Amino acid sequence: MGGAYAEVVLAPAVLTMDVGDISLRTAAGIGWGGPTAYDLINTAAHVRPGESVLIHAAAGGVGTLAAQFARLAGAGRIVGVVGSTARAAYAAQFGYDQILLREEFPAALGEEKFDSILDPVGGQTRQAGLEQLAPHGRLAAYGNLSTNEPVLVGANDLLTRGTSLVTYSSILLSQTHPERLADSACRALGLVADGRVRVDITAEYDMADLANAVQRLAQGATPGKSILRVA
């Protein structure tokens, strides 16, 4: 939705909600990442009790929330993948059973397979992820941070292993089925409000520093959540 970097914005009524007792600062931190992480775990990947989950960009705003939502969904093992040792230490706070560096994926996993994989990276990471799916596993693609050429996937290859490649876009969902996105946002807010999910805001910027904020986000320089202060 355009116009978000402003003191006043116009939004569809269905996508506005009362945040209750949650502070506006925390509510801002939930933002897009909250319903996205909730939907990735509960709708796109449809994580079931006892299943294993692998989450790329594990230290990011979506990754830190997705790990917590996966645990609440009953996941038995949750593995995160990050880009640096500093991010590995940060991601470990959010309930991951194991953290891998990006250069260790997938070699460090050996023969281990996963029921669900969340991938915003694309490229070779996505191709390798498809190979790491267990029978009837689901890979949920929700971005292409690598900006690589699209991965070509044969339907017959997926069929023989019973695996699935699904996609998720909260931007598209806000346009086509806003009521579904609003429902997920309310559920995410509820889990934060009752203390079962933690939102970690690691950076705050003033409007005058917006260009730097966007640049740092694009470079992946800030783990967790970033918020923008308005007058």
Side-chain angles (χ1 to χ4, degrees):
M1 181 180 300
Y5 299 140
E7 296 176 6
V8 178
V9 297
L10 181 66
V14 69
L15 290 175
T16 61
M17 59 206 67
D18 186 350
V19 300
D21 294 330
I22 297 177
S23 70
L24 292 181
R25 180 178 182 274
T26 298
I30 296 171
W32 167 86
T36 295
Y38 184 90
D39 276 345
L40 286 170
I41 293 298
N42 295 287
T43 304
H46 194 62
V47 174
R48 301 174 178 86
E51 290 190 330
S52 57
V53 182
L54 185 140
I55 300 174
H56 288 283
V62 172
T64 55
L65 292 172
Q68 297 175 77
F69 289 135
R71 191 66 73 191
L72 290 173
R77 175 165 160 77
I78 308 173
V79 175
V81 181
V82 298
S84 69
T85 54
R87 282 179 169 264
Y90 176 79
Q93 305 174 54
F94 298 94
Y96 286 100
D97 297 300
Q98 182 180 2
I99 305 290
L100 300 177
L101 296 180
R102 190 168 298 134
E103 59 263 29
E104 297 175 324
F105 176 81
L109 294 169
E111 298 299 317
E112 183 175 7
K113 304 295 183 181
F114 292 85
D115 298 299
S116 296
I117 295 176
L118 308 189
D119 174 25
V121 181
Q124 291 304 309
T125 295
R126 185 156 301 160
Q127 190 66 61
L130 289 169
E131 298 299 323
Q132 292 298 133
L133 286 175
H136 310 294
R138 293 83 59 195
L139 188 150
Y142 67 103
N144 187 40
L145 297 176
S146 66
T147 66
N148 288 325
E149 291 296 320
V151 174
L152 301 180
V153 180
N156 287 341
D157 294 332
L158 297 176
L159 178 62
T160 56
R161 292 178 291 175
T163 54
S164 302
L165 172 61
V166 298
T167 62
Y168 178 83
S169 169
S170 59
I171 294 176
L172 179 61
L173 194 61
S174 71
Q175 299 168 352
T176 59
H177 296 85
E179 71 286 348
R180 282 168 43 187
L181 186 63
D183 180 69
S184 295
C186 286
R187 292 175 186 273
L189 282 166
L191 292 171
V192 172
D194 66 17
R196 286 190 284 173
V197 170
R198 177 168 68 95
V199 177
D200 191 37
I201 298 171
T202 57
E204 298 183 38
Y205 302 92
D206 292 319
M207 288 289 284
D209 203 26
L210 176 59
N212 177 48
V214 172
Q215 183 178 31
R216 286 176 60 81
L217 286 172
Q219 294 171 341
T222 305
K225 298 293 294 184
S226 300
I227 62 173
L228 182 66
R229 290 189 294 259
V230 296

